[in-house]
Amino acid sequence: MSELLIIGAGGFARETAQAVRDAGDLKLLGHLDDDTALHGTEVDGVPVLGGCDLVHERSAAQVVVCVGNPRDYASRARLVRRLGLPGDRYATVIHPTAAVSSTSRVGPGSVLLAHCALTAAVRVGAHVAVMPHVVLTHDDVVEDFATLASGARLGGGARLERGAYVGAGALVREGTTVGAWSLVGMGGTVLGDVPPGEVWAGNPARRLRAAAAPVLDELGTRTTGGPAT
C-alpha cells in the first residue's frame, strides 16, 4: 500500500484525510504544515509531522496539497511551485462515494470528496479541489488548481480555466467559461463568460471587482507539478 502525506492541516486537509480513511487504498502517514504550533500535535487523530519541506525527506511517500480558501485561493499553486516535486509524487484522492464515469479523467494531486459526480467525458486537471456534492456534467473541463466548493454545478461543456474558484452552491451555465483565477461567489448563477482575474457574484452573476493581488499574480505564472488540462 502506498504511503501518503497531506500538505496542510486545515479544513480541506482534514476532509481529505477522512476521504483517504474511507477509501482505504493509501496509508496516511500524517499532515505537514508550516504552522510550528501544530507540529507534534494531532488533527482528528492524524499526526502533524512537521513543516511542508519534510516531503523531500519522505521521498517514497505520495503527496496531496490541501490548502486554500476564498480569501487566497492561489496558495495551493504557490505551494506546489515552492515544493518543486515531480508530477509522479502526487496522488489522486477520490472518495468512495464519488461517481466518476469511465470516460472521465482526473489529474494528479486532485481531490474529489464525498458524493460528487462526473457524468461523461469530464476532464479534471492537476491539483483540483472538488468538494462534496459537486456535479460536473458532460464535456466539462476543469483546469489545474481550480476549486469547486460544496454543491457547485456545471452545465455541459462548461470550462473552468486555471485556478478558477466556484463558490458553494454556484451554478455555471452550459458552454460558458470562468476565466483563469476568477472567483464566483457562493450561490452565484453564471450565465455568460467570466473574464480572467475577476470576482463575480449574484443571480445572475455580475462583476464586483478585480481579484486580490496574490491571486492576480498567478495570471502570469505557470506552476509545475502536473500536466495542464
Side-chain angles (χ1 to χ4, degrees):
M1 182 181 294
S2 296
E3 297 177 331
L4 180 71
L5 293 165
I6 296 177
I7 306 294
F12 177 31
R14 292 168 58 204
E15 290 178 306
T16 301
Q18 188 60 56
V20 171
R21 288 165 163 157
D22 291 346
D25 55 354
L26 292 166
K27 180 182 179 181
L28 180 55
L29 297 180
H31 296 278
L32 301 181
D33 196 289
D34 287 335
D35 184 352
T36 57
L38 294 174
H39 297 175
T41 67
E42 291 189 348
V43 178
D44 299 336
V46 180
V48 181
L49 303 173
C52 298
D53 290 326
L54 280 177
V55 292
H56 301 295
E57 298 179 20
R58 302 287 187 105
S59 58
Q62 292 189 285
V63 179
V64 283
V65 177
C66 298
V67 299
N69 59 66
R71 292 175 296 281
D72 185 6
Y73 50 98
S75 58
R76 193 158 64 251
R78 293 197 305 271
L79 190 47
V80 168
R81 183 164 58 248
R82 174 187 133 193
L83 295 176
L85 299 174
D88 60 8
R89 281 292 304 274
Y90 288 103
T92 301
V93 174
I94 300 176
H95 193 277
T97 62
V100 180
S101 68
S102 62
T103 56
S104 296
R105 298 291 180 268
V106 180
S110 291
V111 176
L112 277 59
L113 293 179
H115 304 292
C116 61
L118 282 61
T119 63
V122 175
R123 296 292 180 268
V124 173
H127 307 290
V128 173
V130 182
M131 301 303 180
H133 295 280
V134 167
V135 176
L136 303 176
T137 55
H138 68 88
D139 304 304
D140 287 340
V141 175
V142 180
E143 296 187 10
D144 299 352
F145 299 105
T147 300
L148 293 114
S150 58
R153 304 284 195 271
L154 269 61
R159 187 180 194 97
L160 301 188
E161 292 185 341
R162 185 179 181 84
Y165 188 108
V166 177
L171 305 175
V172 178
R173 187 177 185 173
E174 66 274 6
T176 58
T177 295
V178 178
W181 301 106
S182 281
L183 180 147
V184 176
M186 65 173 63
T189 302
V190 176
L191 300 179
D193 292 347
V194 175
E198 297 187 356
V199 176
W200 285 44
N203 184 3
R206 295 180 175 86
R207 184 185 190 275
L208 296 183
R209 60 184 182 275
V215 174
L216 288 178
D217 290 345
E218 290 297 322
L219 280 172
T221 302
R222 296 297 296 178
T223 301
T224 59
T229 304

Short mmCIF file of all heavy atoms in Angstrom, two decimals, residues 144-193:
data_model
loop_
_atom_site.label_atom_id
_atom_site.label_comp_id
_atom_site.label_asym_id
_atom_site.label_seq_id
_atom_site.Cartn_x
_atom_site.Cartn_y
_atom_site.Cartn_z
N ASP A 144 -6.09 22.98 -14.12
CA ASP A 144 -5.26 22.84 -12.93
C ASP A 144 -5.55 23.92 -11.89
O ASP A 144 -5.77 25.09 -12.22
CB ASP A 144 -3.78 22.93 -13.30
CG ASP A 144 -3.32 21.86 -14.27
OD1 ASP A 144 -4.10 20.93 -14.56
OD2 ASP A 144 -2.17 21.96 -14.75
N PHE A 145 -5.51 23.51 -10.61
CA PHE A 145 -5.62 24.40 -9.45
C PHE A 145 -6.99 25.04 -9.27
O PHE A 145 -7.15 25.92 -8.42
CB PHE A 145 -4.53 25.49 -9.48
CG PHE A 145 -3.14 24.93 -9.45
CD1 PHE A 145 -2.37 24.91 -10.60
CD2 PHE A 145 -2.62 24.39 -8.29
CE1 PHE A 145 -1.10 24.37 -10.59
CE2 PHE A 145 -1.35 23.86 -8.26
CZ PHE A 145 -0.57 23.84 -9.42
N ALA A 146 -7.99 24.62 -10.03
CA ALA A 146 -9.34 25.13 -9.81
C ALA A 146 -9.92 24.56 -8.51
O ALA A 146 -9.47 23.52 -8.01
CB ALA A 146 -10.24 24.78 -10.99
N THR A 147 -10.92 25.25 -7.98
CA THR A 147 -11.62 24.81 -6.78
C THR A 147 -13.11 24.89 -7.01
O THR A 147 -13.61 25.92 -7.48
CB THR A 147 -11.25 25.68 -5.57
OG1 THR A 147 -9.84 25.60 -5.33
CG2 THR A 147 -11.99 25.23 -4.32
N LEU A 148 -13.83 23.82 -6.67
CA LEU A 148 -15.29 23.82 -6.71
C LEU A 148 -15.78 23.55 -5.30
O LEU A 148 -15.58 22.46 -4.75
CB LEU A 148 -15.82 22.75 -7.66
CG LEU A 148 -15.50 23.03 -9.14
CD1 LEU A 148 -14.54 21.97 -9.67
CD2 LEU A 148 -16.76 23.03 -9.97
N ALA A 149 -16.39 24.56 -4.67
CA ALA A 149 -16.89 24.41 -3.31
C ALA A 149 -18.16 23.56 -3.31
O ALA A 149 -18.75 23.27 -4.36
CB ALA A 149 -17.14 25.78 -2.70
N SER A 150 -18.59 23.16 -2.12
CA SER A 150 -19.65 22.17 -1.99
C SER A 150 -20.93 22.60 -2.71
O SER A 150 -21.35 23.74 -2.64
CB SER A 150 -19.95 21.92 -0.52
OG SER A 150 -20.32 23.12 0.13
N GLY A 151 -21.50 21.64 -3.44
CA GLY A 151 -22.77 21.86 -4.10
C GLY A 151 -22.73 22.65 -5.38
O GLY A 151 -23.78 22.95 -5.96
N ALA A 152 -21.55 23.00 -5.88
CA ALA A 152 -21.47 23.72 -7.16
C ALA A 152 -21.90 22.80 -8.29
O ALA A 152 -21.74 21.58 -8.23
CB ALA A 152 -20.05 24.21 -7.40
N ARG A 153 -22.48 23.39 -9.36
CA ARG A 153 -22.96 22.63 -10.51
C ARG A 153 -22.49 23.30 -11.79
O ARG A 153 -22.63 24.51 -11.96
CB ARG A 153 -24.49 22.58 -10.53
CG ARG A 153 -25.14 22.01 -9.26
CD ARG A 153 -25.01 20.50 -9.21
NE ARG A 153 -25.89 19.89 -8.22
CZ ARG A 153 -25.56 19.71 -6.94
NH1 ARG A 153 -24.39 20.11 -6.50
NH2 ARG A 153 -26.40 19.12 -6.11
N LEU A 154 -21.95 22.49 -12.71
CA LEU A 154 -21.56 22.99 -14.02
C LEU A 154 -22.40 22.31 -15.08
O LEU A 154 -22.51 21.07 -15.12
CB LEU A 154 -20.08 22.68 -14.30
CG LEU A 154 -19.04 23.74 -13.89
CD1 LEU A 154 -19.09 23.99 -12.39
CD2 LEU A 154 -17.65 23.32 -14.33
N GLY A 155 -23.01 23.11 -15.97
CA GLY A 155 -23.72 22.56 -17.11
C GLY A 155 -22.76 21.97 -18.12
O GLY A 155 -21.54 22.18 -18.07
N GLY A 156 -23.30 21.23 -19.09
CA GLY A 156 -22.49 20.54 -20.08
C GLY A 156 -21.59 21.47 -20.87
O GLY A 156 -22.00 22.56 -21.28
N GLY A 157 -20.35 21.06 -21.08
CA GLY A 157 -19.42 21.81 -21.89
C GLY A 157 -18.90 23.08 -21.27
O GLY A 157 -18.29 23.91 -21.94
N ALA A 158 -19.11 23.26 -19.96
CA ALA A 158 -18.56 24.43 -19.27
C ALA A 158 -17.07 24.24 -19.04
O ALA A 158 -16.56 23.11 -19.04
CB ALA A 158 -19.28 24.66 -17.95
N ARG A 159 -16.38 25.34 -18.82
CA ARG A 159 -14.93 25.28 -18.60
C ARG A 159 -14.53 26.20 -17.45
O ARG A 159 -14.92 27.37 -17.43
CB ARG A 159 -14.19 25.69 -19.87
CG ARG A 159 -12.68 25.49 -19.79
CD ARG A 159 -11.98 25.90 -21.08
NE ARG A 159 -10.61 25.40 -21.12
CZ ARG A 159 -10.22 24.29 -21.74
NH1 ARG A 159 -11.12 23.57 -22.41
NH2 ARG A 159 -8.97 23.89 -21.72
N LEU A 160 -13.77 25.64 -16.53
CA LEU A 160 -13.11 26.44 -15.50
C LEU A 160 -11.64 26.51 -15.87
O LEU A 160 -10.95 25.48 -15.90
CB LEU A 160 -13.26 25.81 -14.11
CG LEU A 160 -14.67 25.59 -13.57
CD1 LEU A 160 -14.59 25.13 -12.13
CD2 LEU A 160 -15.52 26.84 -13.69
N GLU A 161 -11.16 27.70 -16.15
CA GLU A 161 -9.76 27.84 -16.50
C GLU A 161 -8.89 27.76 -15.25
O GLU A 161 -9.37 27.69 -14.12
CB GLU A 161 -9.54 29.15 -17.25
CG GLU A 161 -10.19 29.15 -18.63
CD GLU A 161 -9.89 30.38 -19.44
OE1 GLU A 161 -9.47 31.42 -18.86
OE2 GLU A 161 -10.06 30.33 -20.68
N ARG A 162 -7.61 27.76 -15.47
CA ARG A 162 -6.61 27.54 -14.42
C ARG A 162 -6.89 28.40 -13.19
O ARG A 162 -7.03 29.62 -13.25
CB ARG A 162 -5.25 27.88 -15.00
CG ARG A 162 -4.05 27.60 -14.09
CD ARG A 162 -2.78 27.98 -14.83
NE ARG A 162 -1.60 27.73 -14.04
CZ ARG A 162 -0.98 26.55 -13.95
NH1 ARG A 162 -1.44 25.51 -14.62
NH2 ARG A 162 0.12 26.40 -13.23
N GLY A 163 -6.98 27.73 -12.02
CA GLY A 163 -7.11 28.41 -10.76
C GLY A 163 -8.45 29.03 -10.46
O GLY A 163 -8.61 29.69 -9.41
N ALA A 164 -9.46 28.84 -11.30
CA ALA A 164 -10.77 29.43 -11.04
C ALA A 164 -11.38 28.84 -9.77
O ALA A 164 -11.16 27.68 -9.43
CB ALA A 164 -11.70 29.20 -12.23
N TYR A 165 -12.18 29.65 -9.09
CA TYR A 165 -12.84 29.24 -7.85
C TYR A 165 -14.34 29.45 -8.00
O TYR A 165 -14.79 30.57 -8.28
CB TYR A 165 -12.31 30.07 -6.67
CG TYR A 165 -12.77 29.61 -5.31
CD1 TYR A 165 -11.89 28.98 -4.44
CD2 TYR A 165 -14.08 29.81 -4.88
CE1 TYR A 165 -12.29 28.55 -3.18
CE2 TYR A 165 -14.50 29.39 -3.63
CZ TYR A 165 -13.60 28.77 -2.78
OH TYR A 165 -14.01 28.34 -1.53
N VAL A 166 -15.11 28.37 -7.80
CA VAL A 166 -16.57 28.44 -7.88
C VAL A 166 -17.12 28.15 -6.49
O VAL A 166 -16.91 27.07 -5.93
CB VAL A 166 -17.11 27.44 -8.93
CG1 VAL A 166 -18.63 27.48 -8.95
CG2 VAL A 166 -16.56 27.77 -10.31
N GLY A 167 -17.82 29.12 -5.93
CA GLY A 167 -18.27 29.03 -4.55
C GLY A 167 -19.39 28.04 -4.33
O GLY A 167 -20.01 27.52 -5.26
N ALA A 168 -19.69 27.81 -3.05
CA ALA A 168 -20.69 26.82 -2.66
C ALA A 168 -22.05 27.13 -3.29
O ALA A 168 -22.52 28.27 -3.24
CB ALA A 168 -20.82 26.80 -1.14
N GLY A 169 -22.65 26.11 -3.88
CA GLY A 169 -23.98 26.23 -4.44
C GLY A 169 -24.08 27.05 -5.71
O GLY A 169 -25.18 27.30 -6.20
N ALA A 170 -22.96 27.46 -6.29
CA ALA A 170 -23.00 28.26 -7.51
C ALA A 170 -23.34 27.39 -8.71
O ALA A 170 -23.07 26.19 -8.74
CB ALA A 170 -21.65 28.95 -7.73
N LEU A 171 -23.94 28.02 -9.73
CA LEU A 171 -24.33 27.35 -10.96
C LEU A 171 -23.62 28.01 -12.13
O LEU A 171 -23.58 29.24 -12.23
CB LEU A 171 -25.84 27.44 -11.17
CG LEU A 171 -26.73 26.94 -10.02
CD1 LEU A 171 -28.20 27.23 -10.35
CD2 LEU A 171 -26.51 25.46 -9.77
N VAL A 172 -23.07 27.19 -13.04
CA VAL A 172 -22.41 27.70 -14.23
C VAL A 172 -23.14 27.14 -15.45
O VAL A 172 -23.25 25.92 -15.61
CB VAL A 172 -20.91 27.31 -14.27
CG1 VAL A 172 -20.25 27.81 -15.55
CG2 VAL A 172 -20.20 27.85 -13.04
N ARG A 173 -23.66 28.03 -16.27
CA ARG A 173 -24.46 27.64 -17.43
C ARG A 173 -23.64 26.81 -18.42
O ARG A 173 -22.43 27.01 -18.57
CB ARG A 173 -25.00 28.89 -18.12
CG ARG A 173 -25.98 28.62 -19.24
CD ARG A 173 -26.50 29.93 -19.79
NE ARG A 173 -27.53 29.73 -20.80
CZ ARG A 173 -28.22 30.73 -21.33
NH1 ARG A 173 -27.99 32.00 -20.94
NH2 ARG A 173 -29.15 30.48 -22.22
N GLU A 174 -24.32 25.93 -19.13
CA GLU A 174 -23.65 25.09 -20.14
C GLU A 174 -22.92 25.95 -21.16
O GLU A 174 -23.39 27.00 -21.59
CB GLU A 174 -24.65 24.16 -20.83
CG GLU A 174 -25.69 24.83 -21.69
CD GLU A 174 -26.92 25.29 -20.95
OE1 GLU A 174 -26.93 25.19 -19.69
OE2 GLU A 174 -27.88 25.73 -21.61
N GLY A 175 -21.74 25.48 -21.54
CA GLY A 175 -20.97 26.13 -22.59
C GLY A 175 -20.27 27.41 -22.21
O GLY A 175 -19.66 28.05 -23.07
N THR A 176 -20.32 27.80 -20.96
CA THR A 176 -19.68 29.04 -20.55
C THR A 176 -18.33 28.77 -19.89
O THR A 176 -18.02 27.64 -19.49
CB THR A 176 -20.56 29.85 -19.58
OG1 THR A 176 -20.86 29.04 -18.44
CG2 THR A 176 -21.86 30.25 -20.25
N THR A 177 -17.52 29.82 -19.78
CA THR A 177 -16.16 29.72 -19.25
C THR A 177 -16.00 30.67 -18.07
O THR A 177 -16.39 31.84 -18.14
CB THR A 177 -15.13 30.07 -20.33
OG1 THR A 177 -15.20 29.10 -21.38
CG2 THR A 177 -13.71 30.08 -19.77
N VAL A 178 -15.41 30.17 -17.00
CA VAL A 178 -14.97 31.01 -15.90
C VAL A 178 -13.46 31.17 -16.06
O VAL A 178 -12.71 30.19 -16.03
CB VAL A 178 -15.31 30.40 -14.53
CG1 VAL A 178 -14.77 31.28 -13.39
CG2 VAL A 178 -16.82 30.22 -14.39
N GLY A 179 -13.00 32.41 -16.25
CA GLY A 179 -11.62 32.66 -16.62
C GLY A 179 -10.63 32.33 -15.52
O GLY A 179 -10.97 32.17 -14.34
N ALA A 180 -9.37 32.24 -15.92
CA ALA A 180 -8.28 31.88 -15.01
C ALA A 180 -8.25 32.80 -13.79
O ALA A 180 -8.31 34.02 -13.91
CB ALA A 180 -6.95 31.94 -15.75
N TRP A 181 -8.17 32.17 -12.60
CA TRP A 181 -8.03 32.86 -11.32
C TRP A 181 -9.17 33.81 -11.02
O TRP A 181 -9.03 34.73 -10.21
CB TRP A 181 -6.67 33.55 -11.23
CG TRP A 181 -5.55 32.56 -11.38
CD1 TRP A 181 -4.75 32.38 -12.47
CD2 TRP A 181 -5.18 31.56 -10.43
NE1 TRP A 181 -3.88 31.33 -12.26
CE2 TRP A 181 -4.12 30.82 -11.01
CE3 TRP A 181 -5.61 31.22 -9.16
CZ2 TRP A 181 -3.50 29.75 -10.35
CZ3 TRP A 181 -4.99 30.16 -8.50
CH2 TRP A 181 -3.96 29.45 -9.09
N SER A 182 -10.34 33.60 -11.63
CA SER A 182 -11.54 34.33 -11.25
C SER A 182 -12.29 33.56 -10.16
O SER A 182 -12.11 32.35 -9.99
CB SER A 182 -12.45 34.55 -12.45
OG SER A 182 -11.97 35.62 -13.24
N LEU A 183 -13.14 34.27 -9.44
CA LEU A 183 -13.93 33.68 -8.36
C LEU A 183 -15.40 33.99 -8.59
O LEU A 183 -15.77 35.14 -8.87
CB LEU A 183 -13.49 34.22 -7.01
CG LEU A 183 -14.24 33.68 -5.77
CD1 LEU A 183 -13.28 33.60 -4.57
CD2 LEU A 183 -15.44 34.56 -5.40
N VAL A 184 -16.24 32.96 -8.46
CA VAL A 184 -17.69 33.11 -8.48
C VAL A 184 -18.18 32.88 -7.06
O VAL A 184 -17.93 31.84 -6.45
CB VAL A 184 -18.35 32.10 -9.44
CG1 VAL A 184 -19.87 32.21 -9.36
CG2 VAL A 184 -17.85 32.30 -10.86
N GLY A 185 -18.87 33.87 -6.49
CA GLY A 185 -19.31 33.79 -5.11
C GLY A 185 -20.36 32.72 -4.88
O GLY A 185 -21.03 32.26 -5.81
N MET A 186 -20.53 32.34 -3.62
CA MET A 186 -21.47 31.28 -3.28
C MET A 186 -22.88 31.64 -3.74
O MET A 186 -23.32 32.78 -3.63
CB MET A 186 -21.44 30.99 -1.78
CG MET A 186 -21.91 32.11 -0.90
SD MET A 186 -22.04 31.62 0.85
CE MET A 186 -20.36 31.21 1.24
N GLY A 187 -23.54 30.64 -4.31
CA GLY A 187 -24.89 30.83 -4.79
C GLY A 187 -25.01 31.62 -6.08
O GLY A 187 -26.13 31.87 -6.55
N GLY A 188 -23.90 32.01 -6.69
CA GLY A 188 -23.94 32.76 -7.92
C GLY A 188 -24.46 31.94 -9.10
O GLY A 188 -24.32 30.72 -9.11
N THR A 189 -25.05 32.61 -10.08
CA THR A 189 -25.54 31.96 -11.29
C THR A 189 -24.84 32.59 -12.48
O THR A 189 -25.12 33.75 -12.83
CB THR A 189 -27.06 32.10 -11.42
OG1 THR A 189 -27.70 31.54 -10.27
CG2 THR A 189 -27.56 31.39 -12.67
N VAL A 190 -23.94 31.83 -13.09
CA VAL A 190 -23.13 32.35 -14.19
C VAL A 190 -23.84 32.03 -15.50
O VAL A 190 -24.00 30.87 -15.87
CB VAL A 190 -21.72 31.73 -14.18
CG1 VAL A 190 -20.91 32.20 -15.38
CG2 VAL A 190 -21.01 32.07 -12.88
N LEU A 191 -24.26 33.07 -16.22
CA LEU A 191 -24.98 32.90 -17.48
C LEU A 191 -24.14 33.23 -18.71
O LEU A 191 -24.54 32.94 -19.83
CB LEU A 191 -26.25 33.76 -17.48
CG LEU A 191 -27.25 33.47 -16.36
CD1 LEU A 191 -28.44 34.40 -16.47
CD2 LEU A 191 -27.69 32.02 -16.40
N GLY A 192 -22.99 33.86 -18.48
CA GLY A 192 -22.09 34.21 -19.58
C GLY A 192 -20.66 34.11 -19.12
O GLY A 192 -20.38 33.92 -17.93
N ASP A 193 -19.72 34.23 -20.05
CA ASP A 193 -18.31 34.04 -19.73
C ASP A 193 -17.83 35.07 -18.70
O ASP A 193 -18.17 36.25 -18.75
CB ASP A 193 -17.46 34.16 -20.99
CG ASP A 193 -17.69 33.01 -21.96
OD1 ASP A 193 -18.32 32.01 -21.57
OD2 ASP A 193 -17.23 33.11 -23.11
#
